[in-house]
């Protein structure tokens, strides 16, 4: 899942016109990692019997 998120983020970044106003690749990859982290945390929170 993480590999796919990073790949999609890199491909999306590569297909965008490189203008000074666009975020750098590291920012795009960081956003993808944060999104996947939120998804995994939400999934873990829904696990029966799991305590915070």
């Amino acid at each position: 899942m993480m590999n796919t998120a990073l790949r999609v983020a890199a491909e999306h970044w590569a297909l965008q016109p490189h203008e000074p106003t666009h975020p750098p690749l590291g920012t795009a990859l960081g956003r993808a990692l944060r999104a996947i982290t939120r998804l995994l945390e939400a999934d873990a929170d829904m696990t029966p019997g799991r305590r915070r």
Side-chain angles (χ1 to χ4, degrees), residues 7-18:
R7 180 175 155 222
V8 169
E11 289 175 355
H12 178 73
W13 181 85
L15 293 173
Q16 299 300 313
H18 296 290

Side-chain angles (χ1 to χ4, degrees), residues 4-49:
T4 301
L6 293 173
R7 180 175 155 222
V8 169
E11 289 175 355
H12 178 73
W13 181 85
L15 293 173
Q16 299 300 313
H18 296 290
E19 298 177 14
T21 58
H22 288 268
L25 178 58
T27 301
L29 295 177
R31 288 178 182 162
L33 288 173
R34 283 189 296 281
I36 200 70
T37 299
R38 285 192 305 270
L39 176 70
L40 292 172
E41 288 173 346
D43 185 54
D45 288 343
M46 293 177 59
T47 303

